[in-house]
Structure formats: C-alpha cells, structure tokens
Amino acid sequence: MSTHSPSMSFTGALATPHALATEAGMCAYRDGGNAIDAAIAAAAVLTVVYPHNVALGGDLIALVHTPNGEVRCVNASGWAGSAVDIVGLRATHGRWLPTRGADSVTVPGGLRGWEALRRFGARLTWDQTLRAAESTARDGAPVAPSLASWTENPALVRLYFSISRMPSSSSTTSTRVILAPR
C-alpha cells in the first residue's frame, strides 16, 4: 500500500498545443489538484493563447475515468436555442446544417462542461484553477504561428483582441504578443 497522498504522487500525463497551457495544468497538479483541475486550468489558458481553436463560447466533450473505474462522458456540446424551428431549418438546408451563419449557432456549453467536470471531484477552487489564465490574459503571451496567420485578417483582430507588433507589421511571429481586450 502506498503511503503517498494523492496530491503529492504524480501518476498522470498532460499534453496541450501550447506550453503555457501545459504549464498551467502541471501547476494545478503541483498545487494539490487532480486531473480534472489540470484539464480545466489548461483549457482556460488555451482560451487565451488559442482563441481561434478553444473559446469560452465553445463546447466541451470529455471522458472521465472515475476513481471507482467507471468511464463517464460529459457532453457539454451546444444545444439549439429553444425557439429554433427545425422544420424551417430542414426546408432551408435539407439534411445538413451549414457550418457558418446564424443557422449554425448553438448555445455554448463549454463553461457548463467545466462546472460538470468539477462535480467529479475537483480539489482546487475556481480562483486557483483560473489563476494562470487570468495572468496570461493580463500579461500577454507569445502568439503561436497558427494564431499569427489567423490574425492577418484585420476584421477578426478588431473583433476578438488587440495585437501588439514589434517593430512593424512585417515582424516575425516570435515578436508578436497577444493581449486580452480591456
């Protein structure tokens, strides 16, 4: 029988597409959290550094392996609005909904998904879980190459965030910093 407490013994893995998100998840583990805390902390940072792929207004689907060995699914994908006319949508679009436009919009489920995940036994407070995302949004972060190419569309830049470029618009992606709007 192990004498290590669950919060001091690391038996997991964490991978994200951005180093700051991975670091946030690992910090959640080090601060006494578990895999749920780490996943939410990492996802929260991704909403800051990868807003084109992970957004607070998005959805969440997760598989959770509970301590008793059960695998549970959290499906927090967006629902259609309550006033949606399904007959009208089918008449307009046939069998497949469009990928863009008003008829493709659903109610975001991601935040509700985080809330559902926490009920599986998160150990950290919301404040602790979201601390890294808050500081990353406040202090800025290097822009990933995939986001840098996306930000070349000025309309999208104005819509979502401001970019500080040094020294000019022809600068490399390593010198761009993403800042949350104030």
Side-chain angles (χ1 to χ4, degrees):
M1 179 171 166
S2 173
T3 58
H4 296 292
S5 72
S7 63
M8 302 304 285
S9 164
F10 181 76
T11 58
L14 179 67
T16 76
H18 198 285
L20 291 176
T22 303
E23 182 181 337
M26 295 307 294
C27 285
Y29 272 123
R30 282 193 300 271
D31 291 345
N34 57 25
I36 292 167
D37 298 303
I40 296 171
V45 169
L46 286 173
T47 69
V48 176
V49 298
Y50 266 45
H52 60 308
N53 287 331
V54 180
L56 288 176
D59 297 324
L60 176 145
I61 298 175
L63 295 176
V64 178
H65 188 270
T66 64
N68 67 359
E70 195 176 5
V71 176
R72 302 287 306 274
C73 176
V74 174
N75 182 351
S77 56
W79 292 72
S82 61
V84 166
D85 173 16
I86 189 67
V87 174
L89 285 176
R90 286 193 176 129
T92 302
H93 302 290
R95 290 184 52 194
W96 304 102
L97 287 177
T99 58
R100 295 184 187 274
D103 289 342
S104 67
V105 175
T106 59
V107 177
L111 291 178
R112 191 60 64 122
W114 289 357
E115 183 179 60
L117 283 174
R118 288 181 54 79
R119 288 194 293 268
F120 282 99
R123 295 182 186 150
L124 301 179
T125 65
W126 276 114
D127 182 58
Q128 292 169 303
T129 304
L130 300 177
R131 188 173 296 138
E134 288 179 45
S135 64
T136 302
R138 182 182 56 251
D139 301 337
V143 173
S146 62
L147 178 57
S149 65
W150 188 79
T151 62
E152 296 304 317
N153 181 332
L156 293 176
V157 171
R158 282 191 304 278
L159 223 125
Y160 294 107
F161 46 77
S162 63
I163 296 289
S164 170
R165 298 179 187 212
M166 304 170 287
S168 69
S169 62
S170 63
S171 64
T172 65
T173 58
S174 63
T175 60
R176 294 181 186 177
V177 175
I178 185 170
L179 299 170
R182 299 208 190 261

PDB file of all heavy atoms in Angstrom, residues 149-178:
ATOM      1  N   SER A 149      -1.114  33.523 -38.231  1.00  0.00           N
ATOM      2  CA  SER A 149      -1.657  33.543 -39.593  1.00  0.00           C
ATOM      3  C   SER A 149      -3.136  33.922 -39.575  1.00  0.00           C
ATOM      4  O   SER A 149      -3.613  34.610 -40.469  1.00  0.00           O
ATOM      5  CB  SER A 149      -1.450  32.195 -40.277  1.00  0.00           C
ATOM      6  OG  SER A 149      -2.184  31.190 -39.621  1.00  0.00           O
ATOM      7  N   TRP A 150      -3.849  33.515 -38.563  1.00  0.00           N
ATOM      8  CA  TRP A 150      -5.267  33.840 -38.439  1.00  0.00           C
ATOM      9  C   TRP A 150      -5.475  35.333 -38.203  1.00  0.00           C
ATOM     10  O   TRP A 150      -6.444  35.904 -38.659  1.00  0.00           O
ATOM     11  CB  TRP A 150      -5.836  33.015 -37.287  1.00  0.00           C
ATOM     12  CG  TRP A 150      -7.305  33.052 -37.113  1.00  0.00           C
ATOM     13  CD1 TRP A 150      -8.232  32.355 -37.833  1.00  0.00           C
ATOM     14  CD2 TRP A 150      -8.026  33.789 -36.133  1.00  0.00           C
ATOM     15  NE1 TRP A 150      -9.480  32.616 -37.355  1.00  0.00           N
ATOM     16  CE2 TRP A 150      -9.390  33.499 -36.305  1.00  0.00           C
ATOM     17  CE3 TRP A 150      -7.654  34.666 -35.125  1.00  0.00           C
ATOM     18  CZ2 TRP A 150     -10.375  34.055 -35.516  1.00  0.00           C
ATOM     19  CZ3 TRP A 150      -8.638  35.220 -34.337  1.00  0.00           C
ATOM     20  CH2 TRP A 150      -9.980  34.910 -34.533  1.00  0.00           C
ATOM     21  N   THR A 151      -4.545  35.951 -37.491  1.00  0.00           N
ATOM     22  CA  THR A 151      -4.691  37.362 -37.146  1.00  0.00           C
ATOM     23  C   THR A 151      -4.367  38.312 -38.297  1.00  0.00           C
ATOM     24  O   THR A 151      -4.443  39.522 -38.120  1.00  0.00           O
ATOM     25  CB  THR A 151      -3.810  37.743 -35.941  1.00  0.00           C
ATOM     26  OG1 THR A 151      -2.440  37.525 -36.285  1.00  0.00           O
ATOM     27  CG2 THR A 151      -4.188  36.948 -34.711  1.00  0.00           C
ATOM     28  N   GLU A 152      -4.030  37.781 -39.438  1.00  0.00           N
ATOM     29  CA  GLU A 152      -3.775  38.653 -40.587  1.00  0.00           C
ATOM     30  C   GLU A 152      -5.065  39.258 -41.122  1.00  0.00           C
ATOM     31  O   GLU A 152      -5.038  40.156 -41.937  1.00  0.00           O
ATOM     32  CB  GLU A 152      -3.037  37.885 -41.691  1.00  0.00           C
ATOM     33  CG  GLU A 152      -1.649  37.419 -41.274  1.00  0.00           C
ATOM     34  CD  GLU A 152      -0.745  38.552 -40.799  1.00  0.00           C
ATOM     35  OE1 GLU A 152      -0.734  39.631 -41.431  1.00  0.00           O
ATOM     36  OE2 GLU A 152      -0.052  38.353 -39.793  1.00  0.00           O
ATOM     37  N   ASN A 153      -6.215  38.760 -40.660  1.00  0.00           N
ATOM     38  CA  ASN A 153      -7.497  39.309 -41.071  1.00  0.00           C
ATOM     39  C   ASN A 153      -7.860  40.426 -40.094  1.00  0.00           C
ATOM     40  O   ASN A 153      -8.254  40.167 -38.961  1.00  0.00           O
ATOM     41  CB  ASN A 153      -8.562  38.210 -41.051  1.00  0.00           C
ATOM     42  CG  ASN A 153      -9.919  38.709 -41.490  1.00  0.00           C
ATOM     43  OD1 ASN A 153     -10.254  39.885 -41.341  1.00  0.00           O
ATOM     44  ND2 ASN A 153     -10.721  37.796 -42.022  1.00  0.00           N
ATOM     45  N   PRO A 154      -7.741  41.701 -40.498  1.00  0.00           N
ATOM     46  CA  PRO A 154      -7.962  42.826 -39.584  1.00  0.00           C
ATOM     47  C   PRO A 154      -9.345  42.841 -38.921  1.00  0.00           C
ATOM     48  O   PRO A 154      -9.488  43.241 -37.777  1.00  0.00           O
ATOM     49  CB  PRO A 154      -7.774  44.062 -40.465  1.00  0.00           C
ATOM     50  CG  PRO A 154      -7.011  43.590 -41.643  1.00  0.00           C
ATOM     51  CD  PRO A 154      -7.377  42.150 -41.837  1.00  0.00           C
ATOM     52  N   ALA A 155     -10.369  42.385 -39.632  1.00  0.00           N
ATOM     53  CA  ALA A 155     -11.716  42.374 -39.051  1.00  0.00           C
ATOM     54  C   ALA A 155     -11.777  41.434 -37.852  1.00  0.00           C
ATOM     55  O   ALA A 155     -12.399  41.747 -36.833  1.00  0.00           O
ATOM     56  CB  ALA A 155     -12.737  41.957 -40.100  1.00  0.00           C
ATOM     57  N   LEU A 156     -11.125  40.274 -37.953  1.00  0.00           N
ATOM     58  CA  LEU A 156     -11.120  39.326 -36.833  1.00  0.00           C
ATOM     59  C   LEU A 156     -10.298  39.858 -35.667  1.00  0.00           C
ATOM     60  O   LEU A 156     -10.666  39.676 -34.509  1.00  0.00           O
ATOM     61  CB  LEU A 156     -10.579  37.973 -37.285  1.00  0.00           C
ATOM     62  CG  LEU A 156     -11.452  37.217 -38.280  1.00  0.00           C
ATOM     63  CD1 LEU A 156     -10.765  35.946 -38.732  1.00  0.00           C
ATOM     64  CD2 LEU A 156     -12.815  36.915 -37.685  1.00  0.00           C
ATOM     65  N   VAL A 157      -9.209  40.521 -35.960  1.00  0.00           N
ATOM     66  CA  VAL A 157      -8.374  41.090 -34.903  1.00  0.00           C
ATOM     67  C   VAL A 157      -9.176  42.108 -34.097  1.00  0.00           C
ATOM     68  O   VAL A 157      -9.193  42.072 -32.865  1.00  0.00           O
ATOM     69  CB  VAL A 157      -7.100  41.744 -35.486  1.00  0.00           C
ATOM     70  CG1 VAL A 157      -6.347  42.514 -34.419  1.00  0.00           C
ATOM     71  CG2 VAL A 157      -6.203  40.674 -36.097  1.00  0.00           C
ATOM     72  N   ARG A 158      -9.853  43.011 -34.779  1.00  0.00           N
ATOM     73  CA  ARG A 158     -10.659  44.024 -34.085  1.00  0.00           C
ATOM     74  C   ARG A 158     -11.779  43.381 -33.284  1.00  0.00           C
ATOM     75  O   ARG A 158     -12.148  43.838 -32.214  1.00  0.00           O
ATOM     76  CB  ARG A 158     -11.240  45.021 -35.086  1.00  0.00           C
ATOM     77  CG  ARG A 158     -10.233  46.052 -35.558  1.00  0.00           C
ATOM     78  CD  ARG A 158     -10.919  47.174 -36.340  1.00  0.00           C
ATOM     79  NE  ARG A 158     -11.703  46.707 -37.473  1.00  0.00           N
ATOM     80  CZ  ARG A 158     -11.199  46.406 -38.679  1.00  0.00           C
ATOM     81  NH1 ARG A 158      -9.908  46.529 -38.892  1.00  0.00           N
ATOM     82  NH2 ARG A 158     -11.976  46.003 -39.650  1.00  0.00           N
ATOM     83  N   LEU A 159     -12.341  42.300 -33.800  1.00  0.00           N
ATOM     84  CA  LEU A 159     -13.462  41.654 -33.138  1.00  0.00           C
ATOM     85  C   LEU A 159     -13.061  40.989 -31.827  1.00  0.00           C
ATOM     86  O   LEU A 159     -13.797  41.037 -30.853  1.00  0.00           O
ATOM     87  CB  LEU A 159     -14.033  40.582 -34.073  1.00  0.00           C
ATOM     88  CG  LEU A 159     -15.527  40.558 -34.128  1.00  0.00           C
ATOM     89  CD1 LEU A 159     -15.963  40.698 -35.576  1.00  0.00           C
ATOM     90  CD2 LEU A 159     -16.041  39.271 -33.578  1.00  0.00           C
ATOM     91  N   TYR A 160     -11.907  40.333 -31.794  1.00  0.00           N
ATOM     92  CA  TYR A 160     -11.570  39.477 -30.658  1.00  0.00           C
ATOM     93  C   TYR A 160     -10.501  40.005 -29.718  1.00  0.00           C
ATOM     94  O   TYR A 160     -10.555  39.772 -28.534  1.00  0.00           O
ATOM     95  CB  TYR A 160     -11.161  38.084 -31.149  1.00  0.00           C
ATOM     96  CG  TYR A 160     -12.310  37.377 -31.792  1.00  0.00           C
ATOM     97  CD1 TYR A 160     -12.358  37.202 -33.159  1.00  0.00           C
ATOM     98  CD2 TYR A 160     -13.370  36.906 -31.041  1.00  0.00           C
ATOM     99  CE1 TYR A 160     -13.415  36.554 -33.758  1.00  0.00           C
ATOM    100  CE2 TYR A 160     -14.446  36.263 -31.629  1.00  0.00           C
ATOM    101  CZ  TYR A 160     -14.451  36.088 -32.990  1.00  0.00           C
ATOM    102  OH  TYR A 160     -15.505  35.460 -33.573  1.00  0.00           O
ATOM    103  N   PHE A 161      -9.476  40.634 -30.225  1.00  0.00           N
ATOM    104  CA  PHE A 161      -8.386  41.048 -29.339  1.00  0.00           C
ATOM    105  C   PHE A 161      -7.488  42.044 -30.046  1.00  0.00           C
ATOM    106  O   PHE A 161      -7.616  42.268 -31.226  1.00  0.00           O
ATOM    107  CB  PHE A 161      -7.564  39.848 -28.873  1.00  0.00           C
ATOM    108  CG  PHE A 161      -7.211  38.895 -29.975  1.00  0.00           C
ATOM    109  CD1 PHE A 161      -6.205  39.177 -30.873  1.00  0.00           C
ATOM    110  CD2 PHE A 161      -7.919  37.719 -30.117  1.00  0.00           C
ATOM    111  CE1 PHE A 161      -5.896  38.301 -31.898  1.00  0.00           C
ATOM    112  CE2 PHE A 161      -7.612  36.841 -31.143  1.00  0.00           C
ATOM    113  CZ  PHE A 161      -6.610  37.127 -32.031  1.00  0.00           C
ATOM    114  N   SER A 162      -6.567  42.617 -29.255  1.00  0.00           N
ATOM    115  CA  SER A 162      -5.607  43.535 -29.866  1.00  0.00           C
ATOM    116  C   SER A 162      -4.255  42.845 -29.945  1.00  0.00           C
ATOM    117  O   SER A 162      -3.919  42.037 -29.096  1.00  0.00           O
ATOM    118  CB  SER A 162      -5.506  44.821 -29.044  1.00  0.00           C
ATOM    119  OG  SER A 162      -5.017  44.532 -27.766  1.00  0.00           O
ATOM    120  N   ILE A 163      -3.520  43.150 -30.987  1.00  0.00           N
ATOM    121  CA  ILE A 163      -2.186  42.578 -31.166  1.00  0.00           C
ATOM    122  C   ILE A 163      -1.170  43.714 -31.118  1.00  0.00           C
ATOM    123  O   ILE A 163      -1.340  44.732 -31.761  1.00  0.00           O
ATOM    124  CB  ILE A 163      -2.059  41.857 -32.530  1.00  0.00           C
ATOM    125  CG1 ILE A 163      -3.005  40.669 -32.591  1.00  0.00           C
ATOM    126  CG2 ILE A 163      -0.637  41.437 -32.812  1.00  0.00           C
ATOM    127  CD1 ILE A 163      -2.614  39.513 -31.718  1.00  0.00           C
ATOM    128  N   SER A 164      -0.153  43.512 -30.338  1.00  0.00           N
ATOM    129  CA  SER A 164       0.938  44.467 -30.283  1.00  0.00           C
ATOM    130  C   SER A 164       2.074  43.885 -31.122  1.00  0.00           C
ATOM    131  O   SER A 164       2.554  42.806 -30.830  1.00  0.00           O
ATOM    132  CB  SER A 164       1.389  44.643 -28.830  1.00  0.00           C
ATOM    133  OG  SER A 164       2.576  45.375 -28.795  1.00  0.00           O
ATOM    134  N   ARG A 165       2.449  44.590 -32.177  1.00  0.00           N
ATOM    135  CA  ARG A 165       3.512  44.082 -33.057  1.00  0.00           C
ATOM    136  C   ARG A 165       4.754  44.930 -32.887  1.00  0.00           C
ATOM    137  O   ARG A 165       4.695  46.139 -32.889  1.00  0.00           O
ATOM    138  CB  ARG A 165       3.064  44.133 -34.510  1.00  0.00           C
ATOM    139  CG  ARG A 165       1.870  43.262 -34.759  1.00  0.00           C
ATOM    140  CD  ARG A 165       1.461  43.365 -36.202  1.00  0.00           C
ATOM    141  NE  ARG A 165       0.208  42.656 -36.373  1.00  0.00           N
ATOM    142  CZ  ARG A 165      -0.111  42.045 -37.478  1.00  0.00           C
ATOM    143  NH1 ARG A 165       0.696  42.039 -38.504  1.00  0.00           N
ATOM    144  NH2 ARG A 165      -1.257  41.437 -37.578  1.00  0.00           N
ATOM    145  N   MET A 166       5.885  44.257 -32.748  1.00  0.00           N
ATOM    146  CA  MET A 166       7.151  44.962 -32.595  1.00  0.00           C
ATOM    147  C   MET A 166       8.148  44.441 -33.614  1.00  0.00           C
ATOM    148  O   MET A 166       8.321  43.240 -33.683  1.00  0.00           O
ATOM    149  CB  MET A 166       7.698  44.741 -31.198  1.00  0.00           C
ATOM    150  CG  MET A 166       6.727  45.154 -30.108  1.00  0.00           C
ATOM    151  SD  MET A 166       7.251  44.629 -28.492  1.00  0.00           S
ATOM    152  CE  MET A 166       6.978  42.881 -28.513  1.00  0.00           C
ATOM    153  N   PRO A 167       8.823  45.210 -34.387  1.00  0.00           N
ATOM    154  CA  PRO A 167       8.691  46.655 -34.520  1.00  0.00           C
ATOM    155  C   PRO A 167       7.703  47.077 -35.597  1.00  0.00           C
ATOM    156  O   PRO A 167       7.316  48.230 -35.641  1.00  0.00           O
ATOM    157  CB  PRO A 167      10.099  47.094 -34.895  1.00  0.00           C
ATOM    158  CG  PRO A 167      10.646  45.936 -35.649  1.00  0.00           C
ATOM    159  CD  PRO A 167      10.009  44.700 -35.041  1.00  0.00           C
ATOM    160  N   SER A 168       7.284  46.158 -36.522  1.00  0.00           N
ATOM    161  CA  SER A 168       6.382  46.561 -37.594  1.00  0.00           C
ATOM    162  C   SER A 168       5.492  45.387 -37.973  1.00  0.00           C
ATOM    163  O   SER A 168       5.646  44.289 -37.466  1.00  0.00           O
ATOM    164  CB  SER A 168       7.183  47.003 -38.823  1.00  0.00           C
ATOM    165  OG  SER A 168       7.817  45.871 -39.403  1.00  0.00           O
ATOM    166  N   SER A 169       4.573  45.613 -38.917  1.00  0.00           N
ATOM    167  CA  SER A 169       3.662  44.545 -39.329  1.00  0.00           C
ATOM    168  C   SER A 169       4.392  43.411 -40.030  1.00  0.00           C
ATOM    169  O   SER A 169       3.852  42.343 -40.198  1.00  0.00           O
ATOM    170  CB  SER A 169       2.569  45.104 -40.233  1.00  0.00           C
ATOM    171  OG  SER A 169       3.143  45.644 -41.397  1.00  0.00           O
ATOM    172  N   SER A 170       5.632  43.611 -40.448  1.00  0.00           N
ATOM    173  CA  SER A 170       6.380  42.534 -41.083  1.00  0.00           C
ATOM    174  C   SER A 170       7.219  41.755 -40.068  1.00  0.00           C
ATOM    175  O   SER A 170       8.032  40.945 -40.448  1.00  0.00           O
ATOM    176  CB  SER A 170       7.297  43.116 -42.175  1.00  0.00           C
ATOM    177  OG  SER A 170       8.245  43.986 -41.573  1.00  0.00           O
ATOM    178  N   SER A 171       6.971  41.983 -38.788  1.00  0.00           N
ATOM    179  CA  SER A 171       7.745  41.279 -37.763  1.00  0.00           C
ATOM    180  C   SER A 171       7.420  39.796 -37.771  1.00  0.00           C
ATOM    181  O   SER A 171       6.396  39.368 -38.273  1.00  0.00           O
ATOM    182  CB  SER A 171       7.432  41.870 -36.386  1.00  0.00           C
ATOM    183  OG  SER A 171       6.078  41.651 -36.071  1.00  0.00           O
ATOM    184  N   THR A 172       8.299  39.009 -37.190  1.00  0.00           N
ATOM    185  CA  THR A 172       8.076  37.575 -37.140  1.00  0.00           C
ATOM    186  C   THR A 172       7.101  37.237 -36.031  1.00  0.00           C
ATOM    187  O   THR A 172       6.882  38.015 -35.123  1.00  0.00           O
ATOM    188  CB  THR A 172       9.408  36.826 -36.887  1.00  0.00           C
ATOM    189  OG1 THR A 172       9.864  37.205 -35.586  1.00  0.00           O
ATOM    190  CG2 THR A 172      10.444  37.159 -37.922  1.00  0.00           C
ATOM    191  N   THR A 173       6.532  36.037 -36.106  1.00  0.00           N
ATOM    192  CA  THR A 173       5.542  35.635 -35.104  1.00  0.00           C
ATOM    193  C   THR A 173       6.143  35.566 -33.719  1.00  0.00           C
ATOM    194  O   THR A 173       5.435  35.711 -32.745  1.00  0.00           O
ATOM    195  CB  THR A 173       4.931  34.269 -35.465  1.00  0.00           C
ATOM    196  OG1 THR A 173       5.976  33.314 -35.546  1.00  0.00           O
ATOM    197  CG2 THR A 173       4.151  34.339 -36.744  1.00  0.00           C
ATOM    198  N   SER A 174       7.438  35.370 -33.595  1.00  0.00           N
ATOM    199  CA  SER A 174       8.037  35.266 -32.264  1.00  0.00           C
ATOM    200  C   SER A 174       8.058  36.598 -31.530  1.00  0.00           C
ATOM    201  O   SER A 174       8.293  36.628 -30.338  1.00  0.00           O
ATOM    202  CB  SER A 174       9.459  34.706 -32.365  1.00  0.00           C
ATOM    203  OG  SER A 174      10.266  35.598 -33.104  1.00  0.00           O
ATOM    204  N   THR A 175       7.799  37.710 -32.251  1.00  0.00           N
ATOM    205  CA  THR A 175       7.800  39.000 -31.568  1.00  0.00           C
ATOM    206  C   THR A 175       6.388  39.547 -31.358  1.00  0.00           C
ATOM    207  O   THR A 175       6.225  40.645 -30.882  1.00  0.00           O
ATOM    208  CB  THR A 175       8.629  40.037 -32.355  1.00  0.00           C
ATOM    209  OG1 THR A 175       8.061  40.195 -33.641  1.00  0.00           O
ATOM    210  CG2 THR A 175      10.071  39.617 -32.445  1.00  0.00           C
ATOM    211  N   ARG A 176       5.388  38.810 -31.726  1.00  0.00           N
ATOM    212  CA  ARG A 176       4.018  39.248 -31.508  1.00  0.00           C
ATOM    213  C   ARG A 176       3.562  38.791 -30.130  1.00  0.00           C
ATOM    214  O   ARG A 176       3.898  37.716 -29.670  1.00  0.00           O
ATOM    215  CB  ARG A 176       3.081  38.670 -32.560  1.00  0.00           C
ATOM    216  CG  ARG A 176       3.355  39.189 -33.947  1.00  0.00           C
ATOM    217  CD  ARG A 176       2.387  38.610 -34.905  1.00  0.00           C
ATOM    218  NE  ARG A 176       2.748  39.009 -36.258  1.00  0.00           N
ATOM    219  CZ  ARG A 176       2.108  38.606 -37.315  1.00  0.00           C
ATOM    220  NH1 ARG A 176       1.067  37.830 -37.199  1.00  0.00           N
ATOM    221  NH2 ARG A 176       2.498  38.991 -38.504  1.00  0.00           N
ATOM    222  N   VAL A 177       2.763  39.619 -29.501  1.00  0.00           N
ATOM    223  CA  VAL A 177       2.241  39.298 -28.182  1.00  0.00           C
ATOM    224  C   VAL A 177       0.729  39.479 -28.221  1.00  0.00           C
ATOM    225  O   VAL A 177       0.235  40.489 -28.716  1.00  0.00           O
ATOM    226  CB  VAL A 177       2.845  40.192 -27.089  1.00  0.00           C
ATOM    227  CG1 VAL A 177       2.208  39.934 -25.743  1.00  0.00           C
ATOM    228  CG2 VAL A 177       4.354  39.984 -27.020  1.00  0.00           C
ATOM    229  N   ILE A 178       0.008  38.499 -27.702  1.00  0.00           N
ATOM    230  CA  ILE A 178      -1.443  38.609 -27.659  1.00  0.00           C
ATOM    231  C   ILE A 178      -1.833  39.214 -26.310  1.00  0.00           C
ATOM    232  O   ILE A 178      -1.300  38.837 -25.278  1.00  0.00           O
ATOM    233  CB  ILE A 178      -2.108  37.238 -27.868  1.00  0.00           C
ATOM    234  CG1 ILE A 178      -3.621  37.386 -27.953  1.00  0.00           C
ATOM    235  CG2 ILE A 178      -1.747  36.251 -26.782  1.00  0.00           C
ATOM    236  CD1 ILE A 178      -4.329  36.132 -28.394  1.00  0.00           C
TER     237      ILE A 178
END
